[in-house]
Amino acid sequence: MGTPSVLWNVAKKCFTVGVITLTVSDLFASIVPVRGASMSPTFNPKTNSLLDSLSDDRVLVEKLCLRNYKFSHGDVIVFSSPNNHKEKHVKRIVGLPGDWVGTIYDVVHVPEGHCWVEGDNSASSLDSRSFGPVPLGLVKGRITHILWPPQRVGSVDRKIPQNRVSSS
Amino acid sequence: MGEWSRSVIPIVRGLCFLYVTNKYLGTTVITYGPSMLPTLCITGNVLLVERISTRTGKLRPGDVVILRSPEAPRKVVCKRLMGMEGDQVTYVVDPKNSDRCKTVVVIPKGHVWVEGDNIYNTNDSRNFGAVPYGLLEGRAFWTLLPRKDFGTLPPKPR
């Protein structure tokens, strides 16, 4: 008599917490680990190949920017990879729609609805220089703060590369 | 404090549950425009869309899908899936002028090819190229309105 109703209450509480957490993390903000060294030194500055998942940076990703898809130059964004929708990448926006971005070989026009992203660590970053401009519809959030490790807690600043982008 | 939370939490839980169902299971969409004639009316259809096929990757060419437009991230469009990654797609570049200008394209990894059923008036992969799979939002599997089209969606007309 007592156990089923206790189980039911526990299940109801888990369901409530789960559903509310999922909604908040989809609509407002969530905390994600950043893997890899492509955004060094902003994230994961120690380029140690033995980097385990406990020492990855944890960052705050805000989702409110997805209401209007209005980004600024220098924003760090999380987006689904155009080559594999199951992977997500973290890179910085260098070019917005309509901009002309200079790469080593030529100058590329960023089409409407797309953005040009590059990692802070140009030497080891797979970004728009390989897979081209990224549709803004693939963006999943914008990183605003580092939450872990404690010595680097703080907001993530916009860094705009000089002399590489010409806005229209 | 206790009484207030007792009445608010079920409401919040209900709204969050609706949101999660809408985002992860399925939703209804209203379509309008000429690009999917004759399958969908120009004045509008109400379609039931499921999101499970997109998440599990079980989409097949011939499915009617809704996706975020690669040209405008706030716009969601409805087209038919015509090719998956690795497929070769042959299409007519300008059907109004000549139907012998065919181009062959191999769809890159992680992308899909979408086309509107109305080849004379559609803005689809023939204009904006192969679309990354991540832009797909769901598969339309049932028409609710108008009443004469109630039921599953017909396959692509020849």
Side-chain angles (χ1 to χ4, degrees), chain A residues 1 6 14 37 44 53 55 67 78 100 102 144-145 151 153:
Chain A
M1 272 304 274
V6 165
C14 288
N44 294 341
S53 57
S55 57
R67 301 291 156 83
V78 179
W100 290 86
T144 48
H145 292 81
Q151 61 265 28
V153 167

mmCIF file with all atom_site columns, all heavy atoms in Angstrom, chain A residues 1 6 14 37 44 53 55 67 78 100 102 144-145 151 153:
data_model
loop_
_atom_site.group_PDB
_atom_site.id
_atom_site.type_symbol
_atom_site.label_atom_id
_atom_site.label_alt_id
_atom_site.label_comp_id
_atom_site.label_asym_id
_atom_site.label_entity_id
_atom_site.label_seq_id
_atom_site.pdbx_PDB_ins_code
_atom_site.Cartn_x
_atom_site.Cartn_y
_atom_site.Cartn_z
_atom_site.occupancy
_atom_site.B_iso_or_equiv
_atom_site.pdbx_formal_charge
_atom_site.auth_seq_id
_atom_site.auth_comp_id
_atom_site.auth_asym_id
_atom_site.auth_atom_id
_atom_site.pdbx_PDB_model_num
ATOM 1   N N   . MET A 1 1   ? 0.847  -1.211 0.000   1.00 0.00 ? 1   MET A N   1
ATOM 2   C CA  . MET A 1 1   ? 0.000  0.000  0.000   1.00 0.00 ? 1   MET A CA  1
ATOM 3   C C   . MET A 1 1   ? 0.870  1.245  0.000   1.00 0.00 ? 1   MET A C   1
ATOM 4   O O   . MET A 1 1   ? 0.630  2.167  -0.738  1.00 0.00 ? 1   MET A O   1
ATOM 5   C CB  . MET A 1 1   ? -0.889 0.035  1.253   1.00 0.00 ? 1   MET A CB  1
ATOM 6   C CG  . MET A 1 1   ? -2.224 -0.663 1.119   1.00 0.00 ? 1   MET A CG  1
ATOM 7   S SD  . MET A 1 1   ? -3.196 -0.037 -0.256  1.00 0.00 ? 1   MET A SD  1
ATOM 8   C CE  . MET A 1 1   ? -4.028 1.357  0.485   1.00 0.00 ? 1   MET A CE  1
ATOM 9   N N   . VAL A 1 6   ? 4.821  5.777  -2.774  1.00 0.00 ? 6   VAL A N   1
ATOM 10  C CA  . VAL A 1 6   ? 6.127  6.421  -2.599  1.00 0.00 ? 6   VAL A CA  1
ATOM 11  C C   . VAL A 1 6   ? 6.873  6.413  -3.923  1.00 0.00 ? 6   VAL A C   1
ATOM 12  O O   . VAL A 1 6   ? 7.452  7.422  -4.358  1.00 0.00 ? 6   VAL A O   1
ATOM 13  C CB  . VAL A 1 6   ? 6.941  5.674  -1.506  1.00 0.00 ? 6   VAL A CB  1
ATOM 14  C CG1 . VAL A 1 6   ? 8.396  6.083  -1.556  1.00 0.00 ? 6   VAL A CG1 1
ATOM 15  C CG2 . VAL A 1 6   ? 6.355  5.959  -0.138  1.00 0.00 ? 6   VAL A CG2 1
ATOM 16  N N   . CYS A 1 14  ? 11.001 13.070 -10.207 1.00 0.00 ? 14  CYS A N   1
ATOM 17  C CA  . CYS A 1 14  ? 12.070 12.960 -11.206 1.00 0.00 ? 14  CYS A CA  1
ATOM 18  C C   . CYS A 1 14  ? 11.613 13.500 -12.549 1.00 0.00 ? 14  CYS A C   1
ATOM 19  O O   . CYS A 1 14  ? 12.360 14.190 -13.247 1.00 0.00 ? 14  CYS A O   1
ATOM 20  C CB  . CYS A 1 14  ? 12.474 11.490 -11.397 1.00 0.00 ? 14  CYS A CB  1
ATOM 21  S SG  . CYS A 1 14  ? 13.391 10.837 -10.020 1.00 0.00 ? 14  CYS A SG  1
ATOM 22  N N   . ALA A 1 37  ? 41.895 21.547 -28.470 1.00 0.00 ? 37  ALA A N   1
ATOM 23  C CA  . ALA A 1 37  ? 42.730 22.738 -28.276 1.00 0.00 ? 37  ALA A CA  1
ATOM 24  C C   . ALA A 1 37  ? 42.534 23.754 -29.375 1.00 0.00 ? 37  ALA A C   1
ATOM 25  O O   . ALA A 1 37  ? 43.345 24.664 -29.528 1.00 0.00 ? 37  ALA A O   1
ATOM 26  C CB  . ALA A 1 37  ? 44.195 22.312 -28.222 1.00 0.00 ? 37  ALA A CB  1
ATOM 27  N N   . ASN A 1 44  ? 40.935 25.634 -22.683 1.00 0.00 ? 44  ASN A N   1
ATOM 28  C CA  . ASN A 1 44  ? 41.936 24.550 -22.686 1.00 0.00 ? 44  ASN A CA  1
ATOM 29  C C   . ASN A 1 44  ? 43.324 25.024 -23.116 1.00 0.00 ? 44  ASN A C   1
ATOM 30  O O   . ASN A 1 44  ? 43.888 24.525 -24.082 1.00 0.00 ? 44  ASN A O   1
ATOM 31  C CB  . ASN A 1 44  ? 41.495 23.405 -23.620 1.00 0.00 ? 44  ASN A CB  1
ATOM 32  C CG  . ASN A 1 44  ? 40.246 22.711 -23.124 1.00 0.00 ? 44  ASN A CG  1
ATOM 33  O OD1 . ASN A 1 44  ? 39.908 22.817 -21.951 1.00 0.00 ? 44  ASN A OD1 1
ATOM 34  N ND2 . ASN A 1 44  ? 39.569 22.021 -24.007 1.00 0.00 ? 44  ASN A ND2 1
ATOM 35  N N   . SER A 1 53  ? 39.064 14.183 -19.430 1.00 0.00 ? 53  SER A N   1
ATOM 36  C CA  . SER A 1 53  ? 37.818 14.944 -19.477 1.00 0.00 ? 53  SER A CA  1
ATOM 37  C C   . SER A 1 53  ? 37.583 15.733 -18.209 1.00 0.00 ? 53  SER A C   1
ATOM 38  O O   . SER A 1 53  ? 36.779 16.637 -18.185 1.00 0.00 ? 53  SER A O   1
ATOM 39  C CB  . SER A 1 53  ? 36.642 14.008 -19.747 1.00 0.00 ? 53  SER A CB  1
ATOM 40  O OG  . SER A 1 53  ? 36.612 13.023 -18.756 1.00 0.00 ? 53  SER A OG  1
ATOM 41  N N   . SER A 1 55  ? 39.751 17.710 -16.768 1.00 0.00 ? 55  SER A N   1
ATOM 42  C CA  . SER A 1 55  ? 40.426 19.006 -16.770 1.00 0.00 ? 55  SER A CA  1
ATOM 43  C C   . SER A 1 55  ? 39.962 19.881 -17.929 1.00 0.00 ? 55  SER A C   1
ATOM 44  O O   . SER A 1 55  ? 40.494 20.954 -18.126 1.00 0.00 ? 55  SER A O   1
ATOM 45  C CB  . SER A 1 55  ? 41.935 18.816 -16.824 1.00 0.00 ? 55  SER A CB  1
ATOM 46  O OG  . SER A 1 55  ? 42.267 18.054 -17.952 1.00 0.00 ? 55  SER A OG  1
ATOM 47  N N   . ARG A 1 67  ? 16.768 33.411 -30.278 1.00 0.00 ? 67  ARG A N   1
ATOM 48  C CA  . ARG A 1 67  ? 15.466 33.983 -30.626 1.00 0.00 ? 67  ARG A CA  1
ATOM 49  C C   . ARG A 1 67  ? 15.570 34.753 -31.924 1.00 0.00 ? 67  ARG A C   1
ATOM 50  O O   . ARG A 1 67  ? 14.705 34.686 -32.777 1.00 0.00 ? 67  ARG A O   1
ATOM 51  C CB  . ARG A 1 67  ? 14.985 34.923 -29.531 1.00 0.00 ? 67  ARG A CB  1
ATOM 52  C CG  . ARG A 1 67  ? 14.841 34.292 -28.191 1.00 0.00 ? 67  ARG A CG  1
ATOM 53  C CD  . ARG A 1 67  ? 13.683 33.297 -28.180 1.00 0.00 ? 67  ARG A CD  1
ATOM 54  N NE  . ARG A 1 67  ? 13.849 32.295 -27.147 1.00 0.00 ? 67  ARG A NE  1
ATOM 55  C CZ  . ARG A 1 67  ? 13.516 32.463 -25.882 1.00 0.00 ? 67  ARG A CZ  1
ATOM 56  N NH1 . ARG A 1 67  ? 12.986 33.596 -25.505 1.00 0.00 ? 67  ARG A NH1 1
ATOM 57  N NH2 . ARG A 1 67  ? 13.704 31.510 -25.019 1.00 0.00 ? 67  ARG A NH2 1
ATOM 58  N N   . VAL A 1 78  ? 28.545 27.800 -30.232 1.00 0.00 ? 78  VAL A N   1
ATOM 59  C CA  . VAL A 1 78  ? 28.515 26.346 -30.335 1.00 0.00 ? 78  VAL A CA  1
ATOM 60  C C   . VAL A 1 78  ? 27.606 26.031 -31.511 1.00 0.00 ? 78  VAL A C   1
ATOM 61  O O   . VAL A 1 78  ? 26.511 26.590 -31.606 1.00 0.00 ? 78  VAL A O   1
ATOM 62  C CB  . VAL A 1 78  ? 27.902 25.718 -29.058 1.00 0.00 ? 78  VAL A CB  1
ATOM 63  C CG1 . VAL A 1 78  ? 27.853 24.217 -29.178 1.00 0.00 ? 78  VAL A CG1 1
ATOM 64  C CG2 . VAL A 1 78  ? 28.693 26.133 -27.835 1.00 0.00 ? 78  VAL A CG2 1
ATOM 65  N N   . TRP A 1 100 ? 33.109 40.209 -46.243 1.00 0.00 ? 100 TRP A N   1
ATOM 66  C CA  . TRP A 1 100 ? 34.164 39.598 -47.061 1.00 0.00 ? 100 TRP A CA  1
ATOM 67  C C   . TRP A 1 100 ? 35.299 39.229 -46.110 1.00 0.00 ? 100 TRP A C   1
ATOM 68  O O   . TRP A 1 100 ? 35.827 40.094 -45.425 1.00 0.00 ? 100 TRP A O   1
ATOM 69  C CB  . TRP A 1 100 ? 34.657 40.580 -48.127 1.00 0.00 ? 100 TRP A CB  1
ATOM 70  C CG  . TRP A 1 100 ? 33.660 40.842 -49.197 1.00 0.00 ? 100 TRP A CG  1
ATOM 71  C CD1 . TRP A 1 100 ? 32.657 41.755 -49.182 1.00 0.00 ? 100 TRP A CD1 1
ATOM 72  C CD2 . TRP A 1 100 ? 33.556 40.162 -50.453 1.00 0.00 ? 100 TRP A CD2 1
ATOM 73  N NE1 . TRP A 1 100 ? 31.931 41.699 -50.334 1.00 0.00 ? 100 TRP A NE1 1
ATOM 74  C CE2 . TRP A 1 100 ? 32.466 40.734 -51.146 1.00 0.00 ? 100 TRP A CE2 1
ATOM 75  C CE3 . TRP A 1 100 ? 34.286 39.135 -51.066 1.00 0.00 ? 100 TRP A CE3 1
ATOM 76  C CZ2 . TRP A 1 100 ? 32.079 40.296 -52.403 1.00 0.00 ? 100 TRP A CZ2 1
ATOM 77  C CZ3 . TRP A 1 100 ? 33.900 38.714 -52.330 1.00 0.00 ? 100 TRP A CZ3 1
ATOM 78  C CH2 . TRP A 1 100 ? 32.806 39.294 -52.976 1.00 0.00 ? 100 TRP A CH2 1
ATOM 79  N N   . GLY A 1 102 ? 39.105 37.541 -45.465 1.00 0.00 ? 102 GLY A N   1
ATOM 80  C CA  . GLY A 1 102 ? 40.350 37.204 -46.142 1.00 0.00 ? 102 GLY A CA  1
ATOM 81  C C   . GLY A 1 102 ? 40.969 35.940 -45.582 1.00 0.00 ? 102 GLY A C   1
ATOM 82  O O   . GLY A 1 102 ? 41.261 35.872 -44.389 1.00 0.00 ? 102 GLY A O   1
ATOM 83  N N   . THR A 1 144 ? 29.256 32.560 -23.003 1.00 0.00 ? 144 THR A N   1
ATOM 84  C CA  . THR A 1 144 ? 29.446 33.857 -22.363 1.00 0.00 ? 144 THR A CA  1
ATOM 85  C C   . THR A 1 144 ? 30.459 33.813 -21.221 1.00 0.00 ? 144 THR A C   1
ATOM 86  O O   . THR A 1 144 ? 31.126 34.808 -20.973 1.00 0.00 ? 144 THR A O   1
ATOM 87  C CB  . THR A 1 144 ? 28.122 34.372 -21.799 1.00 0.00 ? 144 THR A CB  1
ATOM 88  O OG1 . THR A 1 144 ? 27.509 33.322 -21.055 1.00 0.00 ? 144 THR A OG1 1
ATOM 89  C CG2 . THR A 1 144 ? 27.188 34.792 -22.901 1.00 0.00 ? 144 THR A CG2 1
ATOM 90  N N   . HIS A 1 145 ? 30.542 32.680 -20.499 1.00 0.00 ? 145 HIS A N   1
ATOM 91  C CA  . HIS A 1 145 ? 31.432 32.633 -19.338 1.00 0.00 ? 145 HIS A CA  1
ATOM 92  C C   . HIS A 1 145 ? 32.124 31.291 -19.243 1.00 0.00 ? 145 HIS A C   1
ATOM 93  O O   . HIS A 1 145 ? 31.587 30.276 -19.672 1.00 0.00 ? 145 HIS A O   1
ATOM 94  C CB  . HIS A 1 145 ? 30.636 32.836 -18.038 1.00 0.00 ? 145 HIS A CB  1
ATOM 95  C CG  . HIS A 1 145 ? 30.075 34.207 -17.895 1.00 0.00 ? 145 HIS A CG  1
ATOM 96  N ND1 . HIS A 1 145 ? 28.917 34.606 -18.512 1.00 0.00 ? 145 HIS A ND1 1
ATOM 97  C CD2 . HIS A 1 145 ? 30.524 35.287 -17.197 1.00 0.00 ? 145 HIS A CD2 1
ATOM 98  C CE1 . HIS A 1 145 ? 28.674 35.871 -18.202 1.00 0.00 ? 145 HIS A CE1 1
ATOM 99  N NE2 . HIS A 1 145 ? 29.619 36.301 -17.410 1.00 0.00 ? 145 HIS A NE2 1
ATOM 100 N N   . GLN A 1 151 ? 40.488 29.021 -11.529 1.00 0.00 ? 151 GLN A N   1
ATOM 101 C CA  . GLN A 1 151 ? 41.419 30.148 -11.693 1.00 0.00 ? 151 GLN A CA  1
ATOM 102 C C   . GLN A 1 151 ? 41.119 30.940 -12.960 1.00 0.00 ? 151 GLN A C   1
ATOM 103 O O   . GLN A 1 151 ? 41.626 32.032 -13.137 1.00 0.00 ? 151 GLN A O   1
ATOM 104 C CB  . GLN A 1 151 ? 42.878 29.665 -11.705 1.00 0.00 ? 151 GLN A CB  1
ATOM 105 C CG  . GLN A 1 151 ? 43.237 28.700 -12.824 1.00 0.00 ? 151 GLN A CG  1
ATOM 106 C CD  . GLN A 1 151 ? 43.139 27.250 -12.366 1.00 0.00 ? 151 GLN A CD  1
ATOM 107 O OE1 . GLN A 1 151 ? 42.346 26.933 -11.457 1.00 0.00 ? 151 GLN A OE1 1
ATOM 108 N NE2 . GLN A 1 151 ? 43.909 26.377 -12.977 1.00 0.00 ? 151 GLN A NE2 1
ATOM 109 N N   . VAL A 1 153 ? 37.819 31.438 -14.094 1.00 0.00 ? 153 VAL A N   1
ATOM 110 C CA  . VAL A 1 153 ? 36.399 31.805 -14.146 1.00 0.00 ? 153 VAL A CA  1
ATOM 111 C C   . VAL A 1 153 ? 36.274 33.255 -14.579 1.00 0.00 ? 153 VAL A C   1
ATOM 112 O O   . VAL A 1 153 ? 36.999 34.125 -14.107 1.00 0.00 ? 153 VAL A O   1
ATOM 113 C CB  . VAL A 1 153 ? 35.757 31.590 -12.760 1.00 0.00 ? 153 VAL A CB  1
ATOM 114 C CG1 . VAL A 1 153 ? 34.402 32.259 -12.695 1.00 0.00 ? 153 VAL A CG1 1
ATOM 115 C CG2 . VAL A 1 153 ? 35.615 30.112 -12.465 1.00 0.00 ? 153 VAL A CG2 1
#
